[in-house]
């Protein structure tokens, strides 16, 4: 994937970062990686390998035990205050019974830009309308979020992230539970954001999709197994070190023949 929005300073800079939880459990150990503007990075690894811990640390939800994280040269908290980082969670992280409409959810992406009265401005409304149109959910504006399909729910939270206008976007399993049309739409959105200079980090088990939409890949198993451009890093040796030999063969054979319609079939559970 080529891109003209590359800059010298990294947008995401994780340096010698470790997380150990109060119960003694090791989340991640001594991870370092940097991502430039306008790049897409897949974060992959087995269940329990530290992917979620690394993401939560980048997002500021978890504090590192050692090391540091910088976003666009700022601390995570500074970046949060400037609405520079957005997060699209997995569906199971959301209370779908909460009585809130699609419009309300997408408008939540604008709260950091509103005045203290939290009254949406014309700019806020325009950003929400544009984000919903981009994700093809304008007709769902008044629908309660619990009444949506899995693909529609995913589009709503992607629209919320778009409305926020962040420069760093973290997607947690964006291809899980969506149909082929939504999957292709998400891929198109990722490419469009990359071309606009947004840095996208994707936690995914849909490994055969990685060569299609990612510039970089980070493979983790508590520590960093491999990190770098997909062309030189997404290899059998690194996959085997992360997942095991049999899975490496399966993933690579699937990646060679994968299409957006078939990609979900190669997802790992």
């Amino acid at each position: 994937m080529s891109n003209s929005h590359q800059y010298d300073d990294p947008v995401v800079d994780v340096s010698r970062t470790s997380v150990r939880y109060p119960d003694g459990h090791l989340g991640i150990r001594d991870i370092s990686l940097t991502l430039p503007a306008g790049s897409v990075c897949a974060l992959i690894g087995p269940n329990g390998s530290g992917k979620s811990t690394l993401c939560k640390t980048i997002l500021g939800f978890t504090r590192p035990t050692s090391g540091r994280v910088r976003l666009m040269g700022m601390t995570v908290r500074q970046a949060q205050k400037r609405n520079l980082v957005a997060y699209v969670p997995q569906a199971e992280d959301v209370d779908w019974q909460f009585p809130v409409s699609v419009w309300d959810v997408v408008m939540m992406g604008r709260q950091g830009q509103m005045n203290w009265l939290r009254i949406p401005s014309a700019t806020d409304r325009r950003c929400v309308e544009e984000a919903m149109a981009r994700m093809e959910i304008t007709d769902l504006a008044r629908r309660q979020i619990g009444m949506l399909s899995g693909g529609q729910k995913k589009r709503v939270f992607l629209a919320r992230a778009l409305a926020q206008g962040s420069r760093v976007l973290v997607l947690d399993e964006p291809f899980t539970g969506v149909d082929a049309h939504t999957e292709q739409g998400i891929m198109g959105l990722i490419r469009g954001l990359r071309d606009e200079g947004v840095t996208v980090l994707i936690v995914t088990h849909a490994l055969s999709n990685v060569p299609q939409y990612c510039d970089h890949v980070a493979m983790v198993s508590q520590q960093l197994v491999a990190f770098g451009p997909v062309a030189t890093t997404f290899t059998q040796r690194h996959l085997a070190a992360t997942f095991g030999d049999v899975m490496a063969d399966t993933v690579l054979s699937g990646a060679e023949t994968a299409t957006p319609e078939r990609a979900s079939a190669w997802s790992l559970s």
Side-chain angles (χ1 to χ4, degrees):
M1 293 174 108
S2 62
N3 191 299
S4 59
H5 294 275
Q6 302 293 333
Y7 303 98
D8 293 334
D9 296 330
V11 170
V12 177
D13 185 1
V14 180
S15 178
R16 304 293 302 272
T17 297
S18 299
V19 173
R20 186 175 292 277
Y21 291 100
D23 64 1
H25 173 72
L26 178 67
I28 54 175
R29 181 173 65 234
D30 199 31
I31 288 182
S32 296
L33 59 85
T34 60
L35 297 174
S39 63
V40 180
C41 179
L43 178 59
I44 65 176
N47 289 335
S49 62
K51 301 186 301 296
S52 293
T53 298
L54 178 57
C55 277
K56 289 176 180 178
T57 306
I58 291 172
L59 290 162
F61 301 159
T62 297
R63 179 170 295 185
T65 308
S66 60
R68 64 172 179 81
V69 176
R70 293 288 183 270
L71 302 176
M72 300 188 73
M74 308 174 196
T75 66
V76 175
R77 178 166 294 191
Q78 289 170 333
Q80 288 174 328
K81 288 181 178 179
R82 291 165 174 77
N83 298 292
L84 295 176
V85 57
Y87 174 54
V88 178
Q90 294 188 51
E92 54 263 36
D93 293 339
V94 178
D95 179 6
W96 297 111
Q97 301 309 311
F98 193 74
V100 64
S101 71
V102 168
W103 173 271
D104 293 332
V105 172
V106 181
M107 183 60 75
M108 290 176 186
R110 298 297 304 169
Q111 287 188 356
Q113 285 90 347
M114 294 180 189
N115 60 32
W116 65 276
L117 292 174
R118 292 292 188 265
I119 298 175
S121 67
T123 298
D124 294 325
R125 293 180 179 277
R126 186 184 73 252
C127 289
V128 169
E129 291 169 357
E130 291 174 352
M132 293 180 66
R134 190 167 180 178
M135 295 313 304
E136 301 178 351
I137 57 170
T138 301
D139 58 328
L140 303 176
R142 299 305 169 193
R143 192 87 59 90
Q144 196 270 336
I145 57 170
M147 300 174 65
L148 305 180
S149 69
Q152 289 171 333
K153 291 172 181 175
K154 196 74 71 174
R155 288 173 180 271
V156 169
F157 281 89
L158 285 164
R160 183 184 68 174
L162 287 175
Q164 188 173 327
S166 301
R167 307 311 299 164
V168 179
L169 177 60
V170 178
L171 306 178
D172 193 355
E173 299 291 356
F175 303 109
T176 300
V178 302
D179 57 23
H181 175 70
T182 298
E183 187 172 285
Q184 291 178 50
I186 293 172
M187 284 184 172
L189 173 68
I190 290 169
R191 294 187 182 102
L193 291 172
R194 173 207 65 189
D195 293 340
E196 294 166 17
V198 176
T199 300
V200 184
L201 179 64
I202 306 171
V203 181
T204 184
H205 282 114
L207 302 184
S208 57
N209 280 356
V210 169
Q212 299 182 56
Y213 60 78
C214 292
D215 306 293
H216 299 83
V217 60
M219 303 179 178
V220 297
S221 183
Q222 264 67 56
Q223 58 189 1
L224 197 64
V225 176
F227 169 70
V230 169
T232 56
T233 309
F234 196 72
T235 64
Q236 181 169 6
R237 180 168 66 90
H238 291 147
L239 286 165
T242 308
F243 296 99
D245 291 323
V246 174
M247 186 56 68
D249 291 338
T250 301
V251 168
L252 289 178
S253 62
E256 291 169 359
T257 58
T259 64
E261 291 77 14
R262 292 190 57 202
S264 294
W266 294 95
S267 297
L268 300 175
S269 60

